[in-house]
Amino acid sequence: MDILKLSERLMSMDESSWQRHSNPLSVYSRFSILPLFTIALATRELLGWWTLAALMLVSLWTWLNPRLFAAPKTTNNWASMGTFGERVYLHYKNEGLIPEHHLRACKKIVLLQIVGLPFWFYSLYAMDFALMILSTAWLMFTKTWFVDRMVWLYQDVKDLKPAFQSWLKS
């Protein structure tokens, strides 16, 4: 099972939520999710059972985020094009539409994200705050790199389908 497809299904992303998610406020505010999860888990001894409430709030924020912001008037920006590339990647990566160099790069970036996860989990388990900061920064860096790759992907394929071109509003 493709983890990205699964997350799209769990997020119930439809055309309207994708349009709203292309708002740069949605994209940039989503970068808060991993630090918020990290803080909620790192403060579990302080919060006790309230940690579950904090985790539920962060999960709710994760789900609500692509729906909270209005569709942007202009999408000719890095954040919006990152969401467009993600849509293309999710829906067309197995159809031969995406150039091979993008597929290879995405696999490598995802592998780098996966490499960082055990360190993040261990840091939370061991309450190793230095490793927590480092592993969270690593995961944020690789996520940003992935979004940047999605921008590049979108720019390379936007003329292949009229629907892709229609997402771009100047």
Side-chain angles (χ1 to χ4, degrees):
M1 161 95 6
D2 184 339
I3 192 77
L4 295 173
K5 276 289 221 193
L6 176 63
S7 66
E8 181 189 33
R9 259 189 267 142
L10 289 171
M11 291 289 297
S12 307
M13 295 294 284
D14 58 13
E15 184 62 30
S16 173
S17 54
W18 273 112
Q19 286 179 12
R20 292 165 154 295
H21 182 41
S22 69
N23 187 321
L25 292 172
S26 174
V27 174
Y28 293 125
S29 63
R30 280 187 75 77
F31 281 94
S32 69
I33 292 170
L34 182 64
L36 289 172
F37 268 117
T38 303
I39 291 167
L41 291 167
T43 58
R44 67 186 179 272
E45 291 176 7
L46 176 69
L47 296 177
W49 284 101
W50 287 103
T51 302
L52 294 176
L55 292 171
M56 288 173 54
L57 283 173
V58 177
S59 297
L60 180 63
W61 168 241
T62 303
W63 189 86
L64 281 175
N65 177 279
R67 293 157 181 82
L68 287 177
F69 302 96
K73 292 184 183 357
T74 179
T75 58
N76 193 10
N77 59 71
W78 183 86
S80 296
M81 286 190 273
T83 65
F84 302 156
E86 186 179 7
R87 287 178 77 176
V88 170
Y89 183 75
L90 285 170
H91 296 280
Y92 297 98
K93 73 176 179 178
N94 296 324
E95 296 185 20
L97 182 72
I98 299 173
E100 187 61 34
H101 65 279
H102 287 301
L103 292 174
R104 280 192 311 270
C106 289
K107 286 177 185 174
K108 289 175 184 173
I109 295 168
V110 169
L111 180 63
L112 290 172
Q113 290 173 324
I114 291 169
V115 165
L117 281 173
F119 294 98
W120 183 73
F121 283 118
Y122 176 77
S123 73
L124 291 166
Y125 168 77
M127 299 297 277
D128 182 335
F129 293 105
L131 184 58
M132 203 178 296
I133 291 167
L134 186 62
S135 60
T136 301
W138 177 259
L139 293 171
M140 300 287 292
F141 167 75
T142 55
K143 174 62 176 172
T144 304
W145 189 3
F146 187 82
V147 173
D148 192 61
R149 191 62 184 209
M150 294 296 101
V151 172
W152 185 1
L153 168 74
Y154 175 71
Q155 290 172 334
D156 282 357
V157 303
K158 71 178 185 245
D159 296 324
L160 297 180
K161 287 189 174 272
F164 299 166
Q165 192 66 33
S166 72
W167 299 337
L168 196 57
K169 299 179 230 168
S170 294

